[in-house]
């Protein structure tokens, strides 16, 4: 399916299921059989139709893997989920580095479930929303370099068309954190000091404090701990 055909078809579709089937056809023709689509932050400010309950919006993964994923609470350690809100460009699962032992086990089990060769497209909405669409291939010799640009465009269009059909309302009073502010809050939530965060993000301690103070102002928080708590409750970060 050509990209122009996909855009035209999804823009005229009348149901989320129709849009999803079109997306599956489009990515399958490019070597990617399965996908997952999630809303990672800010979902508490929306009302969803059809019983949809974020963070998962669409899961087209094997049923056994989905059950295993949630039984093991892998949402809390999934490196694809944790990194997507602060990434600006699509990335390959195989390129993920500095993983914890638990995350390495997770990636190994995903590979055994036939989900080892994935591409993730991070998407950032106008109200500080963060989404991710991951597409996977069972082919060990899958070459994403030829299809990455097209998969990026397809994922963005899918999100644009699908999301409009599943929400009841648009938020009006929202907190907008920058990617760097979210990064600093996430690492603060994980118990890191300003100096530690600076080393991790390769920025100065002063810059870390600058971003954390900005976050505190936006969240109307008197301390960074309170800012972290509010950001988590509002769905702006995943700790």
């Amino acid at each position: 399916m050509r990209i122009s055909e996909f855009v035209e078809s999804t823009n005229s579709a009348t149901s989320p299921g129709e849009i999803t089937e079109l997306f599956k056809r489009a990515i399958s023709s490019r070597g990617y059989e399965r996908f997952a689509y999630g809303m990672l932050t800010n979902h508490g400010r929306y009302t969803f139709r059809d019983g949809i309950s974020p963070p998962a919006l669409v899961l087209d993964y094997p049923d056994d893997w989905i059950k295993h994923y949630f039984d093991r609470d892998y949402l809390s350690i999934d490196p694809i989920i944790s990194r997507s809100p602060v990434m600006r460009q699509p990335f390959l699962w195989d390129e993920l580095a500095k993983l914890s032992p638990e995350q390495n086990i997770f990636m190994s089990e995903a590979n055994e479930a036939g989900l080892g060769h994935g591409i993730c497209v991070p998407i950032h909405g106008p109200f500080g929303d963060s989404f991710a669409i991951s597409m996977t291939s069972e082919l060990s010799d899958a070459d994403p370099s030829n299809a990455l640009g097209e998969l990026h465009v397809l994922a963005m269009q899918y999100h644009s068309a699908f999301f409009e059909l599943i929400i009841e309302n648009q938020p009006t009073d929202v907190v907008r954190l920058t990617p760097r502010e979210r990064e600093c809050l996430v690492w603060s939530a994980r118990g890191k000091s300003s100096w530690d965060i600076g080393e991790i993000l390769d920025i100065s301690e002063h810059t870390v404090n600058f971003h954390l103070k900005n976050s505190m102002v936006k969240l109307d928080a008197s301390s960074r701990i309170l800012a972290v708590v509010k950001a988590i409750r509002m769905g702006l970060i995943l700790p």
Side-chain angles (χ1 to χ4, degrees), residues 179-237:
R180 188 63 90 187
E181 288 165 355
R182 287 197 295 268
E183 282 182 311
C184 291
L185 283 171
V186 166
W187 285 112
S188 185
R190 295 173 181 173
K192 302 299 183 181
S193 67
S194 294
W195 185 88
D196 292 330
I197 297 170
E199 290 295 300
I200 293 168
L201 300 180
D202 196 25
I203 58 179
S204 70
E205 183 177 358
H206 173 78
T207 301
V208 172
N209 288 331
F210 170 80
H211 290 303
L212 288 173
K213 287 178 181 178
N214 282 346
S215 303
M216 290 164 57
V217 171
K218 291 179 179 180
L219 292 162
D220 190 25
S222 57
S223 68
R224 69 175 60 184
I225 294 175
L226 183 56
V228 166
V229 171
K230 283 191 169 185
I232 294 172
R233 287 179 176 173
M234 295 169 69
L236 294 172
I237 64 170

Side-chain angles (χ1 to χ4, degrees), residues 65-137:
W65 171 251
I66 294 173
K67 182 179 186 304
H68 180 70
Y69 184 97
F70 288 107
D71 284 348
R72 294 293 184 92
D73 190 29
Y74 276 158
L75 182 65
S76 64
I77 66 163
D78 186 339
I80 303 156
I81 296 297
S82 63
R83 298 190 187 187
S84 291
V86 296
M87 299 291 283
R88 295 174 177 81
Q89 297 294 329
F91 59 92
L92 306 183
W93 292 12
D94 292 339
E95 293 177 345
L96 290 170
K98 298 182 179 179
L99 301 183
S100 68
E102 293 81 7
Q103 289 173 326
N104 279 316
I105 292 173
F106 164 78
M107 295 302 294
S108 176
E109 291 181 353
N111 184 55
E112 292 173 1
L115 304 172
H117 304 282
I119 292 173
C120 181
V121 177
I123 301 170
H124 303 287
F127 303 109
D129 315 331
S130 292
F131 304 82
I133 297 180
S134 280
M135 296 155 279
T136 68
S137 174

Side-chain angles (χ1 to χ4, degrees), residues 51-62:
I52 291 175
S53 179
L57 301 179
V58 179
L59 291 176
D60 186 44
Y61 285 168

